Amino acid sequence: SSGRAPSLLRIIMQCCYGPLWLSFLLPLLLLTASDGSRALSHNKKQSQTRYSSAVREAVNRSWYDDVYPALASVQFPEEKWLSACVQSGKPAASSCCRAWNVKVKYSLAHMQRQLAQLLQPPTNRGVGDRKKTLSFFQPDWNCSGRALERVPEKDGDGPKWVCGLDEIGLRRPSKCLVYSFGSNGDTSFEEAVKKRRPDCEIFTFDPTLSASAMAKVRQVEKSGTLTFVNKGLASKDGSMVFGNLTGAVSTLHTFVRDLGHDGREIDILKVDIESSEFDAIFSSGGLRSCMAAYRDDQPDVLGDRIGQVQIEVHGSKRGDPRTPIRYFWANARAAKLFATFYSCGLMTFSEELNIWGGFGGCKEFSLVSSSQAFRVFATKESPGECDY
């Protein structure tokens, strides 16, 4: 619709991504409330943040004007999953493929419900609490209990949930390939993977290490466990400020090219980069080209060659107020991130709250591709029928 009010609301919400505008944009936004009341409550006893109708209208309008167009082309490649058994060489009428398709169709029904809700504005599918921004994203795939494991088996921020570590790369000539972005000097994940899978080539990336952490990682590198790259993952090649230091960064596509991994499957993509995951993944140099609207970003759709992803996702930055602007921003970037993963054909098989970091607004997600999921299914769930 036209008129002064809608235009003003759109201008306000278009500026919501700039933190410097927050101090005066929020009061302006709240003035649009018909009753003039505050649009949020800080009462910890309340289970839901309440917004006025005008604030909800502003958020929803901006969602459909500025976020929905980026999400509209999201489409989960169902056929890739349904054909995974046949692609492995099994007859479509075999008991293996029939059992596989039954399991896949069950998960696809759940995925379609998530996709439908993903396109809805945040005020229609959640509460304004940064701890719950990510609660909408739930597992779609059931990784066999015998294949689902925490690597390594210990508490802390370093271990990740993996689906079928032993099944990675089965019946494939190329070696196992692991990219681990963000370590903070903790290489326990890489060491555990290398111990179980000595054939894996493991690359660890982190431009933020202190001198002591760097020395530790270099020592692990000397043992042959990993190759360390003193760069970080970002949406563009160049440099980025990390607190008190500036480090070199590159896109995922640049790393793949520079390391000579063009055409290879990245069996494990671990990402723990403290809120930079959104821009890095949803970018022309990331995995955004999986989405139909962004196919021209890259001639090579790298997302089609990701075996599984272990990622720490941040609902909001520490200390952010629970305002409509921040709530909108947190939901928008999370929706773009998962829309990208879904378009690449990745299903979530694990999610858990990170109680060691993230201050309540951080979750660990693990997603798997159809090819890796089938390897696990054929060897762990239906070895008799599949004879894999």
Side-chain angles (χ1 to χ4, degrees), residues 68 251 290:
Y68 183 84
T251 68
C290 286

Side-chain angles (χ1 to χ4, degrees), residues 235-283:
S235 59
K236 297 179 180 179
D237 299 335
S239 61
M240 184 180 293
V241 177
F242 302 95
N244 297 323
L245 60 87
T246 300
V249 294
S250 290
T251 68
L252 184 58
H253 270 272
T254 297
F255 281 124
V256 169
R257 181 198 64 203
D258 292 351
L259 292 172
H261 297 151
D262 286 322
R264 288 185 59 180
E265 182 170 345
I266 301 176
D267 295 288
I268 294 179
L269 176 64
K270 182 181 83 71
V271 182
D272 187 350
I273 54 177
E274 308 307 320
S275 292
S276 294
E277 65 272 10
F278 301 100
D279 291 337
I281 298 299
F282 187 79
S283 68

Side-chain angles (χ1 to χ4, degrees), residues 142-150 161-164 349-350 366 376:
N142 177 24
C143 179
S144 170
R146 291 179 294 172
L148 178 63
E149 58 183 309
R150 189 174 175 83
W161 287 101
V162 176
C163 183
F349 66 85
S350 174
S366 295
V376 172

Side-chain angles (χ1 to χ4, degrees), residues 30 82 88 154 157 170 178 200 214 258 275 294 312 320 324 358 371 376-377:
L30 294 181
L82 291 170
S88 73
K154 69 171 189 175
D157 195 25
L170 286 181
V178 177
C200 285
M214 176 72 77
D258 292 351
S275 292
Y294 300 98
E312 183 178 271
D320 279 348
S371 58
V376 172
F377 173 84

Side-chain angles (χ1 to χ4, degrees), residues 182-187 204-218 228-230 242 245:
S183 70
N184 196 28
D186 181 359
T187 58
T204 300
F205 309 79
D206 199 328
T208 68
L209 299 184
S210 63
S212 59
M214 176 72 77
K216 178 184 176 183
V217 173
R218 290 296 188 188
F228 179 69
V229 181
N230 193 19
F242 302 95
L245 60 87

